[in-house]
Amino acid sequence: TGNMLRAASEEYPIDVTTRYTEVPEGAMGPDARELLDTLLAASPSADPYDLAVTMQEYLSSDRPDGFRYETDITGVECDAASAVECFARTKTGSCLHYASTMAILLRAANPDNQIPTRLVQGFLPGDRPTGSDRAPTVTETVRNRSAHAWD
């Protein structure tokens, strides 16, 4: 539950902090830093759970000036900006942009005790053949359009 996650320890094992707290050089430009400042001000506390919920709600809100989910971002121009900086600037991206941004912003939210995060990629369910009189098959076709990322 949310209360259990709020009460969880913020002392993370060294192998977790070693692997999951780095903020790569150049990941946070001025737009990403401004977004982080906005999210920190909007969060009810500095607790990692509250920060994560605030970020998730803010990034997925339906505000007119909010972020837009787009699977085709070929027209989005960001020069040499990182994926996180580009997403913070253009407010347009796919699940990979949302997840990358949230992971990096959570890591950068508390420099004195970084919040470990990791980005995971996988696939949503694919298509199974239908209409066969035979026993259901275990074969499933998974296409790139079923790709998904989360943190």
Side-chain angles (χ1 to χ4, degrees):
T1 67
N3 287 335
M4 291 173 70
L5 290 170
R6 277 185 201 93
S9 173
E10 292 180 36
E11 292 183 30
Y12 309 111
I14 190 71
D15 59 321
V16 170
T17 58
T18 301
R19 286 185 93 170
Y20 302 117
T21 58
E22 179 186 0
V23 176
E25 185 72 32
M28 298 281 297
D31 294 302
R33 291 185 196 290
E34 182 179 336
L35 175 58
L36 178 57
D37 290 343
T38 298
L39 294 167
L40 290 171
S43 182
S45 78
D47 179 81
Y49 175 76
D50 286 336
L51 287 170
V53 169
T54 298
M55 287 182 187
Q56 181 180 10
E57 289 173 354
Y58 187 89
L59 294 175
S60 64
S61 74
D62 291 334
R63 291 183 334 273
D65 66 336
F67 291 80
R68 291 187 336 264
Y69 183 86
E70 294 286 339
T71 55
D72 181 6
I73 57 164
T74 53
V76 175
E77 297 287 331
C78 281
D79 304 321
S82 72
V84 173
E85 180 65 10
C86 183
F87 186 62
R89 182 181 307 156
T90 65
K91 298 182 177 182
T92 303
S94 67
C95 55
L96 184 59
H97 297 93
Y98 280 84
S100 298
T101 298
M102 192 166 163
I104 293 299
L105 293 181
L106 280 168
R107 289 180 181 193
N110 183 357
D112 295 329
N113 187 26
Q114 289 177 295
I115 301 167
T117 63
R118 66 182 186 153
L119 184 125
V120 180
Q121 292 179 278
F123 290 88
L124 298 169
D127 302 316
R128 292 186 180 194
T130 59
S132 174
D133 293 341
R134 295 179 288 150
T137 180
V138 293
T139 302
E140 192 168 331
T141 302
V142 180
R143 294 181 169 72
N144 280 341
R145 69 175 182 257
S146 296
H148 191 58
W150 59 96
D151 63 321

